[in-house]
């Protein structure tokens, strides 16, 4: 519906492992943001990438990192997984052009850390 | 940390009734947005209201914004069972920046 896709849809990892989540933005969108949503809570901002550079970061440790590529795809990497990293991870893309930019969300990746 | 609070946390109404959800926030904002989420899936953008606007309509949705009280309300008129979802308000301090979400209101519309 929004033109933003995420993969995989579900993922199970064990504590200490590393994970890479992927997002494909709408064509032409130069900004991607990642959010973590724990069960029963609102999404929390992890970081944002604008034209392949990090452009703002929330209160998350450095083991959360990201990449944005020129082909409108992006990645969220999490190292040394902890149990509390279990959540729905959402990416959102937008075209930042000086106006009121709407962020379009993907369906999310649900990560379970055991 | 969350920007604001939403109230009520849960709301259960009958089909055809109106549903009102409230949101409060803490900082100055560029705009406030409302999103809908079905069963832990992705967020669907409903409506955006700028800081210099007081009221906005979109179909059965009516949003108000009171920047002096740092609060907003979302009214869904003539609710339908398909409106059952979680509703989140989110603020944007500057255009194109991060969204800061509230905790959400779980709306249940009974047929």
């Amino acid at each position: 519906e929004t033109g933003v896709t995420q993969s995989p849809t579900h993922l199970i990892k064990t504590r200490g492992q590393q994970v890479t989540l992927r997002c494909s933005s709408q064509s032409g969108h130069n900004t991607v943001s990642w959010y973590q949503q724990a069960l029963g809570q609102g999404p929390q901002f992890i970081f944002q990438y604008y034209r392949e550079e990090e452009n703002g970061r929330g209160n998350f440790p450095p083991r959360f990192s990201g990449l944005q590529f020129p082909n409108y795809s992006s990645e969220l990497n999490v190292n040394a997984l902890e149990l509390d990293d279990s959540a729905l991870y959402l990416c959102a893309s937008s075209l930042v052009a000086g106006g009121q930019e709407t962020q379009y969300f993907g369906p999310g990746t649900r990560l379970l850390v055991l | 940390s969350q920007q604001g609070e939403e109230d009520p946390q849960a709301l259960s109404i009958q089909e055809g009734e109106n549903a009102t959800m409230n949101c409060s926030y803490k900082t100055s904002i560029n705009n406030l947005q409302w999103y809908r989420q079905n069963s832990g899936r992705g967020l669907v953008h409903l409506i955006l209201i700028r800081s210099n606007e007081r009221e906005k309509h979109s179909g059965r949705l009516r949003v108000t914004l009171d920047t002096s009280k740092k609060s907003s309300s979302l009214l869904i008129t003539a609710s339908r069972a398909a409106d059952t979802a979680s509703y989140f308000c989110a603020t944007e301090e500057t255009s194109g920046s991060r969204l800061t979400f509230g905790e959400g209101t779980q709306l249940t519309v009974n047929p």
Side-chain angles (χ1 to χ4, degrees):
Chain A
E1 291 183 4
T2 64
V4 180
T5 59
Q6 290 186 245
S7 62
T9 55
H10 296 82
L11 199 53
I12 300 175
K13 290 285 190 178
T14 55
R15 195 169 44 182
Q17 285 188 313
Q18 179 267 342
V19 69
T20 297
L21 309 182
R22 293 180 173 84
C23 172
S24 180
S25 302
Q26 279 197 21
S27 180
H29 281 188
N30 55 14
T31 302
V32 64
S33 302
W34 286 89
Y35 295 82
Q36 180 196 65
Q37 185 178 22
L39 198 62
Q41 297 184 17
Q44 289 202 2
F45 175 77
I46 303 175
F47 45 57
Q48 182 184 81
Y49 278 78
Y50 172 68
R51 293 183 176 175
E52 301 162 44
E53 298 280 338
E54 187 176 294
N55 183 43
R57 187 176 187 93
N59 189 26
F60 281 82
R63 60 190 184 83
F64 285 78
S65 63
L67 288 170
Q68 184 186 25
F69 303 102
N71 65 350
Y72 307 115
S73 67
S74 58
E75 291 180 354
L76 164 65
N77 298 291
V78 187
N79 293 324
L81 284 167
E82 300 177 0
L83 298 180
D84 285 348
D85 295 333
S86 296
L88 180 68
Y89 288 85
L90 298 159
C91 73
S93 75
S94 59
L95 174 61
V96 177
Q100 301 286 342
E101 295 84 6
T102 296
Q103 295 192 26
Y104 295 90
F105 281 82
T109 293
R110 188 164 296 282
L111 173 64
L112 177 61
V113 182
L114 301 175
Chain B
S1 62
Q2 299 297 323
Q3 158 78 296
E5 300 174 358
E6 292 180 63
D7 129 73
Q9 288 187 331
L11 179 61
S12 182
I13 60 175
Q14 295 300 122
E15 211 165 24
E17 293 181 339
N18 295 340
T20 299
M21 290 161 266
N22 302 297
C23 166
S24 62
Y25 57 92
K26 298 175 183 172
T27 64
S28 296
I29 62 171
N30 178 273
N31 63 68
L32 184 145
Q33 303 177 39
W34 285 89
Y35 285 84
R36 165 196 168 122
Q37 185 177 43
N38 287 69
S39 301
R41 296 185 179 179
L43 295 159
V44 175
H45 184 263
L46 295 176
I47 194 165
L48 180 153
I49 186 165
R50 298 178 177 84
S51 59
N52 61 354
E53 296 176 315
R54 292 296 167 258
E55 187 171 312
K56 203 161 183 180
H57 297 254
S58 177
R60 294 185 294 115
L61 305 180
R62 172 180 170 254
V63 169
T64 62
L65 179 64
D66 186 335
T67 53
S68 66
K69 296 181 179 177
K70 291 187 166 59
S71 68
S72 174
S73 68
L74 170 68
L75 168 68
I76 304 174
T77 59
S79 64
R80 305 166 182 168
D83 295 329
T84 295
S86 292
Y87 291 81
F88 295 91
C89 69
T91 56
E92 197 171 58
E93 292 183 23
T94 58
S95 182
S97 68
R98 69 184 70 184
L99 291 171
T100 305
F101 286 84
E103 296 287 346
T105 294
Q106 172 61 50
L107 172 66
T108 302
V109 181
N110 302 297

